[in-house]
Amino acid sequence: MADWEKLEEELRGAVEGEVRFDPYSKALYSTDASMYRIEPVGAVIPRSAEDVQRAMRITARHAVSIVSRGGATSLAGQTIGKGIVFDFSKYMNKVIEHDLEGEW
């Protein structure tokens, strides 16, 4: 089992965005529009791609899964899980690049 306090401490030291391991935040991220309820270890609300990369390296070292949340899609149980929730809806919520010709 991972040491959640050490994980939280490492994330707080590496991420410029928010790191939430408090009971209230875990309760908020434990459900979506489905009937399922799974409490996560915690949540990261990244401010940048660098935050995401740093947080992913830390969670990988601790062998903790990540669950991505974003713009109100996949609300049938896919946005909850026992790992760390990455919530992109607060700071990373704009399209910054697209390629019509390449269709991406």
Side-chain angles (χ1 to χ4, degrees), residues 46-64:
R47 287 187 180 268
S48 66
E50 292 78 19
D51 269 1
V52 176
Q53 292 169 348
R54 288 189 294 265
M56 288 186 73
R57 280 194 287 272
I58 292 166
T59 55
R61 247 192 341 269
H62 285 266
V64 177

Side-chain angles (χ1 to χ4, degrees), residues 11-27:
L11 287 169
R12 287 190 187 282
V15 173
E16 293 177 3
E18 300 170 35
V19 176
R20 298 180 179 179
F21 276 60
D22 62 282
Y24 179 73
S25 294
K26 290 195 286 187

